[in-house]
Every structure is written in C-alpha cells, then in structure tokens.
Amino acid sequence: NIIAVSKAVKSNLLRKFSINPKNITLIPHFIEKDAYEITPHVSNEKPIVFSAGRFHPEKNYLVLLKAVNLLPEYNLKVILAGEGIEKDLYEFFALKNGVDLEILKPTNNLKELFERAQICVLPSIVDPFPHFMLESGIHRKPFIGSDIDGMSELITNEENGLLFPSNNHQELAGKIKLFLNNQKLAKKCADN
C-alpha cells in the first residue's frame, strides 16, 4: 500500500505510475497544533507579506514580488525564508523595482516570522500539499495561494483563505489588496 497525503498526490500516482487505486490510501498531511505556541504580536513595522520555501521556479516567488510591486501605496515588505537557484533573480527584481525584500536563511522555526506577518502567500505553480499553508493556518494568518494541486483542495476562497489563478501577478495583487482593505475577511479566513 502507498499513502498519499492529498488528492493531488493520489492523482499523480495514478496518472504517472498507473498504480492500482486499491493500493493507495489517502491520509491527509497534518501538523500538530500543540507543537506551535501562538502568541499575539504587535508591531510598528510596515505590513509584511511572508512566504517560506525553496527558491525554485516551481515556488514562483517572482510572481509575489511582481504583485507587491503593483501595490506601492501599501508600503509592503516581503520576507522570504529559503534558499535556492532563484535567490539572485529575486534580489535583482526587488532592487530594480524598489520592492522592500528581506531574504532569510531557511530555518525549522518560523514562529517569529509568522508572528510578524500580516499575510502569508504561496504562489507555487506545483505544490501537492504545502506544509507552509498548514503552518499559516496554525498561526492564524490570512493565507493566499495559487489555485493548484493541494492548495485548491483545502482552501475555499473567502472562507479559509484566498486563491488566485496560478502565475497571475495582477490577480495576486488584487487578493493581497482585498485582505489589506478588508480586515474582517482577513480575520475570518485566518480563524477558519
């Protein structure tokens, strides 16, 4: 038997490897809520849009930077925790376009970064079941994800997060703006 952590993973196993569906058990990925101590964070710093993961084309962080670039009136800061082949690309784009970007080394403890963040975003073009999405929920942060794979499996638009069409920075900018302008919706999604 094979355990699939999401419907997207099960679908990939069936499609790519022709595995008998009877041999696949779906057990959704989870995180232990008790492992995360949640403390409120009050800050005077500018609004932070946060994400964490590999700096790889699949994670598509350039779309996030392009979206924030469309929102200069909100004076946003982007914090990315991770490393990888696209780091220089992100830094170059941010410098060229005046996007406030802070890149941090990957760490197992993202608690402080989640506490500082106003919005968590995952703009991946492939992500069967992102751990970052689950952590955003545990930390009760408004989450925006692309409408692919595992994210669309768990996120119901305007119920427990927002979805945007994958690779569309204009739509992502609109979703970020929606959360910033509608704190009631942002809180509802974060709580759910």
Side-chain angles (χ1 to χ4, degrees):
N1 278 340
I2 296 174
I3 295 173
V5 296
S6 70
K7 291 177 186 173
V9 170
K10 181 176 180 178
S11 175
N12 284 337
L13 289 170
L14 294 170
R15 188 179 73 253
K16 290 182 179 180
F17 302 104
S18 302
I19 293 173
N20 184 335
K22 293 177 183 178
N23 293 339
I24 302 173
T25 302
L26 179 63
I27 301 176
H29 187 40
F30 66 93
I31 55 177
E32 292 287 339
K33 185 176 180 181
D34 295 341
Y36 295 86
E37 179 186 335
I38 301 166
T39 53
H41 183 75
V42 178
S43 173
N44 294 329
E45 65 186 327
K46 58 174 69 176
I48 292 174
V49 178
F50 171 55
S51 195
R54 307 177 279 129
F55 296 165
H56 186 274
E58 287 182 350
K59 291 297 184 182
N60 209 18
Y61 290 125
L62 192 56
V63 162
L64 172 57
L65 297 174
K66 287 179 179 179
V68 168
N69 191 46
L70 294 177
L71 303 170
E73 68 274 21
Y74 290 94
N75 194 29
L76 298 171
K77 177 177 188 165
V78 177
I79 296 180
L80 298 177
E83 61 188 2
I85 60 174
E86 292 206 329
K87 179 179 184 247
D88 292 342
L89 176 67
Y90 306 153
E91 290 174 330
F92 178 77
F93 180 90
L95 186 63
K96 181 181 173 192
N97 293 285
V99 174
D100 187 355
L101 172 64
E102 183 178 351
I103 292 182
L104 302 171
K105 295 264 186 214
T107 175
N108 288 333
N109 187 355
L110 299 172
K111 180 179 184 284
E112 179 190 333
L113 296 171
F114 276 109
E115 288 175 357
R116 291 173 57 198
Q118 276 69 47
I119 298 171
C120 292
V121 177
L122 195 53
S124 303
I125 56 172
V126 175
D127 220 329
F129 205 91
H131 195 260
F132 180 78
M133 175 182 67
L134 298 177
E135 285 185 302
S136 298
I138 287 290
H139 287 280
R140 293 185 181 231
K141 293 298 174 175
F143 177 81
I144 303 171
S146 54
D147 63 352
I148 52 103
D149 297 324
M151 285 186 269
S152 63
E153 194 174 313
L154 284 182
I155 299 297
T156 301
N157 205 44
E158 296 193 18
E159 267 311 305
N160 60 353
L162 298 176
L163 294 172
F164 72 97
S166 177
N167 212 27
N168 188 322
H169 68 278
Q170 293 98 344
E171 288 286 331
L172 176 53
K175 299 295 182 171
I176 293 170
K177 193 173 178 177
L178 178 59
F179 268 159
L180 292 171
N181 290 340
N182 189 338
Q183 289 299 304
K184 185 176 179 183
L185 176 63
K187 184 177 181 341
K188 171 188 159 185
C189 289
D191 288 345
N192 288 342

